[in-house]
Coordinates of all heavy atoms in Angstrom, one line a residue:
M1319 N -85.9 -50.4 93.9 CA -84.7 -49.8 93.2 C -84.2 -50.8 92.2 O -84.1 -52.0 92.5 CB -83.7 -49.6 94.3 CG -82.4 -49.0 93.7 SD -81.2 -48.8 95.1 CE -79.7 -49.2 94.3
P1320 N -84.0 -50.4 90.9 CA -83.6 -51.3 89.8 C -82.1 -51.7 90.1 O -81.3 -50.9 90.5 CB -83.7 -50.5 88.6 CG -83.7 -49.1 89.0 CD -84.2 -49.0 90.4
V1321 N -81.9 -53.0 89.9 CA -80.6 -53.6 90.1 C -80.1 -54.4 88.9 O -81.0 -55.1 88.3 CB -80.6 -54.5 91.4 CG1 -79.3 -55.2 91.6 CG2 -81.1 -53.7 92.6
P1322 N -78.9 -54.3 88.5 CA -78.4 -55.1 87.4 C -78.6 -56.6 87.6 O -78.4 -57.1 88.7 CB -76.9 -54.8 87.3 CG -76.7 -53.6 88.1 CD -77.8 -53.5 89.1
K1323 N -79.1 -57.3 86.5 CA -79.4 -58.7 86.7 C -78.2 -59.6 86.9 O -78.2 -60.5 87.6 CB -80.2 -59.2 85.5 CG -81.0 -60.5 85.6 CD -81.9 -60.7 84.4 CE -82.7 -61.9 84.7 NZ -83.7 -62.1 83.6
R1324 N -77.1 -59.2 86.1 CA -75.9 -60.0 86.1 C -74.7 -59.1 86.4 O -74.7 -57.9 86.1 CB -75.7 -60.7 84.7 CG -76.9 -61.6 84.3 CD -76.4 -62.8 83.6 NE -77.5 -63.6 83.2 CZ -78.2 -64.4 84.0 NH1 -78.0 -64.4 85.3 NH2 -79.2 -65.1 83.5
K1325 N -73.7 -59.8 86.8 CA -72.4 -59.1 87.0 C -71.8 -58.7 85.7 O -71.8 -59.6 84.8 CB -71.4 -60.0 87.8 CG -70.1 -59.4 88.0 CD -69.2 -60.4 88.8 CE -67.8 -59.8 88.9 NZ -66.9 -60.7 89.6
R1326 N -71.2 -57.5 85.5 CA -70.5 -57.1 84.3 C -69.2 -57.9 84.2 O -68.4 -57.8 85.2 CB -70.3 -55.6 84.3 CG -70.5 -55.0 82.9 CD -70.8 -53.5 83.1 NE -72.1 -53.2 82.5 CZ -72.2 -52.5 81.4 NH1 -71.1 -52.0 80.8 NH2 -73.4 -52.3 80.9
S1327 N -68.9 -58.5 83.1 CA -67.7 -59.3 82.9 C -66.5 -58.3 82.9 O -66.6 -57.1 82.7 CB -67.7 -60.1 81.7 OG -67.6 -59.2 80.5
R1328 N -65.3 -58.9 83.2 CA -64.1 -58.1 83.2 C -63.8 -57.4 81.8 O -63.5 -56.3 81.7 CB -62.9 -59.0 83.5 CG -62.2 -58.6 84.8 CD -61.1 -59.5 85.1 NE -61.7 -60.8 85.5 CZ -61.0 -62.0 85.6 NH1 -59.7 -61.9 85.4 NH2 -61.5 -63.1 85.9
A1329 N -64.1 -58.2 80.8 CA -63.9 -57.7 79.4 C -64.8 -56.5 79.1 O -64.4 -55.5 78.6 CB -64.1 -58.8 78.4
R1330 N -66.1 -56.6 79.5 CA -67.0 -55.5 79.2 C -66.6 -54.3 80.1 O -66.7 -53.2 79.5 CB -68.4 -56.0 79.7 CG -69.3 -56.4 78.5 CD -70.7 -56.5 78.9 NE -71.6 -56.8 77.8 CZ -71.9 -56.0 76.8 NH1 -71.3 -54.8 76.7 NH2 -72.7 -56.3 75.9
R1331 N -66.3 -54.5 81.3 CA -65.9 -53.4 82.2 C -64.6 -52.7 81.6 O -64.5 -51.5 81.5 CB -65.6 -53.9 83.6 CG -65.2 -52.9 84.6 CD -64.5 -53.4 85.8 NE -63.3 -54.1 85.4 CZ -62.6 -55.0 86.0 NH1 -63.1 -55.5 87.2 NH2 -61.5 -55.5 85.6
D1332 N -63.6 -53.5 81.3 CA -62.3 -53.0 80.8 C -62.4 -52.3 79.5 O -61.6 -51.4 79.2 CB -61.2 -54.0 80.9 CG -60.9 -54.5 82.3 OD1 -61.4 -53.8 83.2 OD2 -60.3 -55.5 82.5
S1333 N -63.3 -52.7 78.6 CA -63.5 -52.1 77.3 C -63.9 -50.7 77.4 O -63.7 -49.9 76.5 CB -64.4 -52.9 76.4 OG -65.7 -52.7 76.9
R1334 N -64.5 -50.3 78.5 CA -64.8 -48.9 78.8 C -63.6 -48.0 78.7 O -63.6 -46.9 78.3 CB -65.5 -48.8 80.1 CG -66.3 -47.5 80.3 CD -66.9 -47.4 81.7 NE -67.3 -48.7 82.2 CZ -67.3 -49.0 83.5 NH1 -66.8 -48.2 84.4 NH2 -67.8 -50.2 83.8
F1335 N -62.5 -48.5 79.2 CA -61.2 -47.7 79.3 C -60.3 -47.9 78.1 O -59.2 -47.3 78.1 CB -60.5 -48.1 80.6 CG -61.3 -48.0 81.8 CD1 -61.7 -49.2 82.5 CD2 -61.8 -46.8 82.3 CE1 -62.5 -49.1 83.6 CE2 -62.6 -46.7 83.5 CZ -63.0 -47.9 84.1
A1336 N -60.8 -48.7 77.1 CA -59.9 -49.0 76.0 C -59.5 -47.7 75.2 O -58.4 -47.6 74.7 CB -60.6 -50.0 75.1
N1337 N -60.4 -46.7 75.1 CA -60.2 -45.5 74.3 C -59.6 -44.3 75.2 O -59.6 -43.2 74.7 CB -61.4 -45.1 73.6 CG -61.9 -46.1 72.7 OD1 -61.2 -46.8 72.0 ND2 -63.2 -46.3 72.6
K1338 N -59.3 -44.6 76.4 CA -58.8 -43.6 77.3 C -57.5 -42.9 76.8 O -57.3 -41.7 77.0 CB -58.6 -44.1 78.7 CG -58.9 -43.1 79.8 CD -58.7 -43.7 81.2 CE -58.8 -42.7 82.2 NZ -58.6 -43.2 83.6
G1339 N -56.7 -43.7 76.2 CA -55.4 -43.1 75.8 C -55.4 -42.4 74.4 O -54.4 -41.9 74.0
L1340 N -56.5 -42.4 73.7 CA -56.6 -41.8 72.4 C -56.5 -40.2 72.6 O -57.0 -39.6 73.5 CB -57.9 -42.1 71.7 CG -58.1 -43.5 71.3 CD1 -59.5 -43.7 70.6 CD2 -57.0 -43.9 70.3
K1341 N -55.7 -39.6 71.6 CA -55.6 -38.2 71.6 C -56.2 -37.6 70.4 O -56.2 -38.3 69.3 CB -54.1 -37.8 71.6 CG -53.4 -38.1 73.0 CD -51.9 -38.0 72.9 CE -51.3 -38.4 74.2 NZ -49.9 -38.8 74.1
P1342 N -56.7 -36.4 70.4 CA -57.2 -35.8 69.2 C -56.2 -35.7 68.1 O -55.0 -35.4 68.3 CB -57.7 -34.4 69.6 CG -57.0 -34.2 70.9 CD -56.7 -35.5 71.5
A1343 N -56.6 -35.9 66.8 CA -55.7 -35.8 65.7 C -55.0 -34.5 65.5 O -55.7 -33.4 65.7 CB -56.4 -36.2 64.4
A1344 N -53.8 -34.4 65.2 CA -53.0 -33.2 65.1 C -53.4 -32.6 63.7 O -53.4 -33.2 62.7 CB -51.5 -33.4 65.1
I1345 N -53.8 -31.3 63.7 CA -54.2 -30.6 62.5 C -53.3 -29.4 62.3 O -53.2 -28.5 63.2 CB -55.7 -30.2 62.5 CG1 -56.6 -31.5 62.6 CG2 -56.0 -29.4 61.3 CD1 -58.0 -31.2 62.8
A1346 N -52.7 -29.3 61.2 CA -51.8 -28.1 60.9 C -52.4 -27.3 59.7 O -53.4 -27.8 59.1 CB -50.4 -28.6 60.5
A1347 N -51.9 -26.2 59.4 CA -52.3 -25.4 58.3 C -51.3 -25.5 57.2 O -50.1 -25.5 57.4 CB -52.5 -23.9 58.7
C1348 N -51.7 -25.6 55.9 CA -50.9 -25.7 54.8 C -50.0 -24.4 54.7 O -50.6 -23.3 54.8 CB -51.7 -25.9 53.5 SG -50.7 -25.8 52.0
A1349 N -48.7 -24.5 54.5 CA -47.9 -23.3 54.4 C -48.2 -22.5 53.1 O -47.9 -21.3 53.0 CB -46.4 -23.7 54.4
Q1350 N -48.7 -23.2 52.1 CA -49.0 -22.6 50.8 C -50.3 -21.9 50.7 O -50.4 -20.8 50.3 CB -48.9 -23.7 49.7 CG -48.6 -23.1 48.3 CD -47.2 -22.6 48.1 OE1 -46.3 -23.0 48.8 NE2 -47.1 -21.7 47.2
C1351 N -51.4 -22.6 51.2 CA -52.7 -22.1 51.0 C -53.5 -22.0 52.3 O -54.7 -21.6 52.3 CB -53.5 -22.9 50.0 SG -53.9 -24.6 50.6
Q1352 N -52.9 -22.3 53.4 CA -53.5 -22.2 54.8 C -54.7 -23.1 55.0 O -55.5 -22.9 55.9 CB -53.9 -20.7 55.1 CG -52.9 -19.6 54.7 CD -51.5 -19.9 55.3 OE1 -51.4 -20.3 56.5 NE2 -50.5 -19.6 54.6
A1353 N -54.8 -24.1 54.2 CA -56.0 -25.0 54.3 C -55.6 -26.0 55.5 O -54.5 -26.3 55.7 CB -56.2 -25.8 53.1
P1354 N -56.6 -26.4 56.3 CA -56.4 -27.3 57.4 C -55.9 -28.7 56.8 O -56.4 -29.1 55.7 CB -57.7 -27.5 58.1 CG -58.7 -27.0 57.1 CD -58.0 -26.0 56.2
L1355 N -55.0 -29.3 57.5 CA -54.2 -30.4 56.9 C -53.7 -31.3 58.0 O -53.3 -30.8 59.0 CB -53.1 -29.7 56.1 CG -52.1 -30.6 55.4 CD1 -52.7 -31.3 54.2 CD2 -51.0 -29.7 54.9
A1356 N -53.7 -32.6 57.8 CA -53.1 -33.6 58.7 C -51.6 -33.4 58.5 O -51.1 -33.1 57.4 CB -53.5 -35.0 58.4
T1357 N -50.8 -33.5 59.6 CA -49.4 -33.3 59.6 C -48.7 -34.4 58.7 O -49.1 -35.5 58.7 CB -48.8 -33.3 61.0 OG1 -49.2 -34.5 61.7 CG2 -49.2 -32.1 61.8
H1358 N -47.6 -34.1 58.1 CA -46.8 -35.0 57.2 C -47.7 -35.5 56.1 O -47.5 -36.7 55.7 CB -46.2 -36.1 58.1 CG -45.4 -35.6 59.2 ND1 -45.9 -35.6 60.5 CD2 -44.2 -35.0 59.3 CE1 -45.0 -35.1 61.3 NE2 -43.9 -34.7 60.6
Q1359 N -48.6 -34.7 55.5 CA -49.4 -35.2 54.4 C -49.3 -34.1 53.3 O -49.2 -32.9 53.6 CB -50.8 -35.4 54.8 CG -51.0 -36.3 56.0 CD -51.5 -37.6 55.6 OE1 -52.3 -37.8 54.7 NE2 -51.0 -38.7 56.3
V1360 N -49.5 -34.5 52.1 CA -49.6 -33.6 50.9 C -50.9 -32.8 51.1 O -52.0 -33.4 51.4 CB -49.6 -34.4 49.6 CG1 -49.7 -33.4 48.4 CG2 -48.3 -35.1 49.5
C1361 N -50.9 -31.5 50.8 CA -52.1 -30.7 50.8 C -53.0 -31.1 49.6 O -52.5 -31.0 48.5 CB -51.8 -29.3 50.8 SG -53.2 -28.2 50.8
S1362 N -54.2 -31.5 49.9 CA -55.1 -32.0 48.8 C -55.7 -30.8 48.0 O -56.1 -31.0 46.9 CB -56.2 -32.9 49.3 OG -56.9 -32.2 50.3
S1363 N -55.6 -29.6 48.6 CA -56.3 -28.5 47.9 C -55.3 -27.8 46.9 O -55.7 -27.2 45.9 CB -56.8 -27.5 48.9 OG -55.9 -27.0 49.7
C1364 N -54.0 -27.8 47.2 CA -53.0 -27.1 46.4 C -51.9 -28.1 45.9 O -51.2 -27.7 44.9 CB -52.4 -25.9 47.0 SG -51.3 -26.3 48.4
G1365 N -51.8 -29.3 46.4 CA -50.8 -30.3 45.9 C -49.4 -30.0 46.4 O -48.5 -30.6 45.8
F1366 N -49.2 -29.2 47.4 CA -47.8 -28.9 47.8 C -47.5 -29.7 49.0 O -48.3 -30.0 49.9 CB -47.7 -27.4 48.2 CG -47.3 -26.5 47.0 CD1 -48.3 -26.2 46.0 CD2 -46.1 -26.0 46.9 CE1 -47.9 -25.4 44.9 CE2 -45.7 -25.2 45.8 CZ -46.6 -24.9 44.8
Y1367 N -46.2 -30.0 49.1 CA -45.6 -30.7 50.3 C -44.2 -30.1 50.5 O -43.4 -30.2 49.6 CB -45.6 -32.2 50.2 CG -45.1 -32.9 51.5 CD1 -45.9 -32.9 52.6 CD2 -43.9 -33.5 51.5 CE1 -45.4 -33.5 53.8 CE2 -43.4 -34.1 52.6 CZ -44.2 -34.1 53.8 OH -43.7 -34.7 54.9
K1368 N -44.0 -29.6 51.7 CA -42.7 -29.0 52.0 C -42.3 -28.0 51.0 O -41.1 -28.0 50.5 CB -41.6 -30.1 52.1 CG -41.7 -30.9 53.4 CD -40.5 -31.8 53.6 CE -40.4 -32.3 55.0 NZ -39.2 -33.2 55.2
G1369 N -43.2 -27.1 50.6 CA -42.9 -26.0 49.7 C -42.7 -26.4 48.2 O -42.1 -25.7 47.5
R1370 N -43.0 -27.7 47.9 CA -42.8 -28.1 46.5 C -44.1 -28.8 46.0 O -44.8 -29.5 46.7 CB -41.7 -29.2 46.6 CG -41.0 -29.5 45.3 CD -39.7 -30.2 45.5 NE -39.8 -31.5 46.2 CZ -40.0 -32.6 45.6 NH1 -40.1 -32.7 44.3 NH2 -40.2 -33.8 46.3
K1371 N -44.4 -28.5 44.7 CA -45.5 -29.1 44.1 C -45.3 -30.6 43.8 O -44.3 -30.9 43.1 CB -45.8 -28.4 42.8 CG -47.1 -28.8 42.1 CD -48.3 -28.0 42.5 CE -49.5 -28.3 41.6 NZ -50.7 -27.7 42.2
V1372 N -46.1 -31.5 44.4 CA -45.8 -32.9 44.2 C -47.0 -33.6 43.7 O -46.9 -34.8 43.4 CB -45.4 -33.6 45.6 CG1 -44.1 -33.1 46.1 CG2 -46.5 -33.3 46.6
M1373 N -48.1 -33.0 43.5 CA -49.4 -33.6 43.1 C -50.2 -32.7 42.3 O -50.3 -31.5 42.5 CB -50.1 -34.1 44.4 CG -51.2 -35.0 44.2 SD -51.9 -35.5 45.8 CE -53.0 -34.1 46.0
T1374 N -50.9 -33.2 41.2 CA -51.8 -32.4 40.4 C -53.2 -32.5 41.1 O -53.6 -33.6 41.5 CB -52.0 -32.9 39.0 OG1 -52.2 -34.3 39.0 CG2 -50.7 -32.6 38.2
T1375 N -53.8 -31.4 41.3 CA -55.1 -31.4 42.0 C -56.3 -31.3 41.0 O -56.0 -31.2 39.8 CB -55.2 -30.2 43.0 OG1 -55.1 -29.0 42.2 CG2 -54.1 -30.2 44.0
K1376 N -57.5 -31.5 41.6 CA -58.7 -31.4 40.7 C -58.7 -30.1 40.0 O -59.1 -30.0 38.8 CB -59.9 -31.6 41.6 CG -61.1 -32.1 40.9 CD -62.2 -32.4 42.0 CE -63.4 -33.0 41.3 NZ -64.5 -33.3 42.2
L1377 N -58.4 -29.0 40.7 CA -58.4 -27.7 40.1 C -57.4 -27.6 38.9 O -57.7 -27.0 37.9 CB -58.1 -26.6 41.2 CG -58.3 -25.2 40.8 CD1 -59.7 -24.8 40.6 CD2 -57.6 -24.2 41.8
D1378 N -56.2 -28.1 39.1 CA -55.2 -28.1 38.1 C -55.7 -28.8 36.8 O -55.6 -28.3 35.7 CB -53.9 -28.8 38.5 CG -53.2 -28.1 39.7 OD1 -53.4 -26.8 39.7 OD2 -52.5 -28.7 40.5
R1379 N -56.3 -30.0 37.0 CA -56.9 -30.7 35.9 C -58.0 -29.9 35.2 O -58.0 -29.9 34.0 CB -57.4 -32.1 36.4 CG -56.2 -33.0 36.7 CD -56.8 -34.4 36.8 NE -57.6 -34.6 38.1 CZ -57.1 -34.8 39.3 NH1 -55.8 -35.0 39.4 NH2 -57.9 -35.0 40.3
A1380 N -58.8 -29.3 36.0 CA -59.9 -28.5 35.4 C -59.4 -27.3 34.5 O -59.9 -27.1 33.4 CB -60.8 -28.0 36.5
L1381 N -58.3 -26.7 35.1 CA -57.7 -25.5 34.3 C -57.1 -26.0 33.0 O -57.3 -25.4 32.0 CB -56.7 -24.9 35.2 CG -57.2 -24.0 36.3 CD1 -56.1 -23.5 37.2 CD2 -58.0 -22.8 35.8
K1382 N -56.4 -27.2 33.1 CA -55.8 -27.7 31.9 C -56.8 -28.1 30.8 O -56.7 -27.9 29.7 CB -55.0 -28.9 32.3 CG -54.0 -29.4 31.2 CD -53.0 -30.4 31.7 CE -52.0 -30.7 30.6 NZ -51.1 -31.8 31.1
R1383 N -57.9 -28.7 31.3 CA -59.0 -29.1 30.5 C -59.6 -27.9 29.7 O -59.9 -27.9 28.5 CB -60.1 -29.8 31.3 CG -61.0 -30.7 30.5 CD -62.0 -31.4 31.4 NE -61.4 -32.1 32.5 CZ -61.8 -31.9 33.8 NH1 -62.7 -31.1 34.1 NH2 -61.2 -32.6 34.7
K1384 N -59.8 -26.8 30.5 CA -60.4 -25.6 29.9 C -59.4 -25.0 28.8 O -59.9 -24.6 27.8 CB -60.5 -24.5 31.0 CG -61.8 -23.7 30.9 CD -62.0 -22.8 32.1 CE -63.4 -22.9 32.6 NZ -63.6 -22.0 33.8
E1385 N -58.1 -25.1 29.1 CA -57.1 -24.6 28.2 C -57.2 -25.4 26.9 O -57.2 -24.9 25.8 CB -55.7 -24.7 28.8 CG -54.8 -23.6 28.4 CD -53.6 -23.6 29.3 OE1 -52.6 -24.3 29.0 OE2 -53.6 -22.9 30.4
T1386 N -57.2 -26.7 27.0 CA -57.2 -27.6 25.8 C -58.5 -27.4 25.0 O -58.5 -27.4 23.8 CB -57.1 -29.1 26.2 OG1 -58.1 -29.4 27.2 CG2 -55.7 -29.4 26.7
Q1387 N -59.6 -27.1 25.7 CA -60.9 -26.9 25.1 C -60.8 -25.6 24.3 O -61.3 -25.5 23.1 CB -62.0 -26.8 26.1 CG -62.6 -28.1 26.5 CD -63.6 -28.0 27.6 OE1 -63.8 -26.9 28.1 NE2 -64.2 -29.1 28.0
K1388 N -60.2 -24.6 24.8 CA -60.0 -23.3 24.1 C -59.2 -23.5 22.8 O -59.6 -23.0 21.8 CB -59.2 -22.3 25.0 CG -60.1 -21.3 25.7 CD -59.3 -20.3 26.4 CE -60.1 -19.5 27.5 NZ -59.3 -18.6 28.3
T1389 N -58.1 -24.2 23.0 CA -57.2 -24.4 21.8 C -57.9 -25.2 20.7 O -57.8 -24.9 19.5 CB -55.9 -25.1 22.2 OG1 -56.2 -26.3 22.9 CG2 -55.0 -24.2 23.0
S1390 N -58.7 -26.2 21.1 CA -59.4 -27.1 20.2 C -60.5 -26.3 19.5 O -60.8 -26.5 18.3 CB -59.9 -28.3 20.9 OG -60.9 -28.0 21.8
A1391 N -61.1 -25.4 20.3 CA -62.2 -24.5 19.7 C -61.6 -23.6 18.6 O -62.2 -23.4 17.6 CB -62.8 -23.7 20.8
Q1392 N -60.4 -23.1 18.9 CA -59.7 -22.2 18.0 C -59.4 -22.9 16.7 O -59.4 -22.4 15.6 CB -58.5 -21.6 18.6 CG -58.8 -20.5 19.6 CD -57.6 -20.0 20.3 OE1 -56.5 -20.5 20.2 NE2 -57.7 -18.9 21.1
K1393 N -58.9 -24.2 16.9 CA -58.6 -25.0 15.7 C -59.8 -25.3 14.9 O -59.7 -25.3 13.6 CB -57.9 -26.3 16.2 CG -56.4 -26.1 16.5 CD -55.9 -27.5 17.0 CE -54.5 -27.3 17.5 NZ -54.0 -28.6 18.1
S1394 N -60.9 -25.6 15.5 CA -62.1 -26.1 14.8 C -62.8 -24.9 14.1 O -63.6 -25.2 13.2 CB -63.1 -26.8 15.8 OG -63.5 -25.9 16.8
K1395 N -62.6 -23.7 14.6 CA -63.3 -22.6 14.0 C -63.0 -22.4 12.5 O -63.9 -22.3 11.7 CB -62.9 -21.3 14.7 CG -63.9 -20.9 15.8 CD -63.6 -19.6 16.4 CE -64.5 -19.3 17.6 NZ -64.2 -18.0 18.3
P1396 N -61.7 -22.4 12.1 CA -61.4 -22.3 10.6 C -62.0 -23.5 9.8 O -62.5 -23.3 8.7 CB -59.9 -22.3 10.5 CG -59.4 -22.1 11.9 CD -60.5 -22.4 12.9
E1397 N -62.0 -24.7 10.4 CA -62.5 -25.9 9.8 C -64.0 -25.7 9.5 O -64.5 -25.9 8.4 CB -62.3 -27.1 10.6 CG -60.9 -27.6 10.7 CD -60.7 -28.7 11.7 OE1 -61.6 -29.3 12.1 OE2 -59.5 -28.8 12.1
A1398 N -64.7 -25.1 10.5 CA -66.2 -24.9 10.4 C -66.4 -23.8 9.3 O -67.3 -24.0 8.5 CB -66.7 -24.4 11.7
G1399 N -65.5 -22.8 9.2 CA -65.7 -21.8 8.2 C -65.5 -22.4 6.8 O -66.3 -22.1 5.9
S1400 N -64.5 -23.3 6.6 CA -64.3 -23.9 5.4 C -65.4 -24.8 5.0 O -65.8 -24.9 3.8 CB -63.0 -24.7 5.4 OG -63.1 -25.8 6.3
G1401 N -66.0 -25.5 6.0 CA -67.2 -26.3 5.8 C -68.3 -25.5 5.2 O -69.0 -26.0 4.3
E1402 N -68.5 -24.3 5.8 CA -69.6 -23.5 5.3 C -69.4 -23.1 3.9 O -70.3 -23.0 3.0 CB -69.8 -22.3 6.2 CG -70.4 -22.6 7.5 CD -70.4 -21.4 8.5 OE1 -69.9 -20.3 8.1 OE2 -70.8 -21.6 9.7
A1403 N -68.1 -22.7 3.6 CA -67.7 -22.3 2.2 C -68.0 -23.4 1.3 O -68.4 -23.2 0.1 CB -66.2 -21.9 2.2
G1404 N -67.7 -24.7 1.7 CA -68.0 -25.8 0.8 C -69.4 -26.0 0.5 O -69.8 -26.3 -0.6
Q1405 N -70.3 -25.7 1.5 CA -71.7 -25.9 1.2 C -72.2 -24.8 0.3 O -73.2 -25.1 -0.5 CB -72.4 -25.7 2.6 CG -72.3 -27.0 3.5 CD -72.9 -26.7 4.9 OE1 -73.3 -25.6 5.2 NE2 -72.9 -27.8 5.6
E1406 N -71.6 -23.6 0.3 CA -72.2 -22.6 -0.6 C -71.8 -22.7 -2.1 O -71.6 -23.5 -2.7 CB -71.5 -21.2 -0.2 CG -72.2 -20.7 1.1 CD -71.4 -19.5 1.6 OE1 -70.3 -19.2 1.1 OE2 -72.0 -18.8 2.5
Ligands
ZN1398 ZN1 -52.2 -26.2 50.4

């Protein structure tokens, strides 16, 4: 019958119980978009905290970028037209 070679030290034995008091993390749902969320934290998907927008999200920035690209494209169109006229 196999037998442990050495006695397990108190530190090694007691470290087994070190994580006994840990509890699973509390997870709530965002009131704005229902995304899973740690409690007392800003929602990373919609940027809301306590019903108020407090943070710009990746999606917000993407939408703004698209809008600016649209406006710049509209501005550049007449310039391109004038450029063609100049070539003719
Ligand atoms: Zn949210």
Side-chain angles (χ1 to χ4, degrees):
M1319 182 183 142
V1321 177
K1323 194 172 189 177
R1324 300 219 185 284
K1325 178 183 176 178
R1326 219 160 239 248
S1327 68
R1328 243 176 292 168
R1330 260 196 175 290
R1331 182 202 61 203
D1332 292 347
S1333 69
R1334 194 184 325 147
F1335 307 108
N1337 299 323
K1338 208 176 175 186
L1340 289 179
K1341 287 169 189 159
I1345 296 172
C1348 174
Q1350 199 71 26
C1351 68
Q1352 314 307 321
L1355 176 69
T1357 52
H1358 306 103
Q1359 305 258 324
V1360 178
C1361 179
S1362 57
S1363 58
C1364 69
F1366 271 72
Y1367 183 70
K1368 284 190 167 181
R1370 199 162 60 89
K1371 184 95 175 167
V1372 293
M1373 193 177 82
T1374 52
T1375 60
K1376 203 173 183 180
L1377 187 72
D1378 293 332
R1379 286 192 290 276
L1381 286 172
K1382 196 171 184 183
R1383 204 178 305 126
K1384 217 171 224 181
E1385 215 167 88
T1386 52
Q1387 278 175 354
K1388 258 186 198 174
T1389 53
S1390 65
Q1392 284 173 354
K1393 279 180 187 174
S1394 64
K1395 263 185 188 175
E1397 288 172 18
S1400 65
E1402 283 173 6
Q1405 282 173 355
E1406 285 173 347

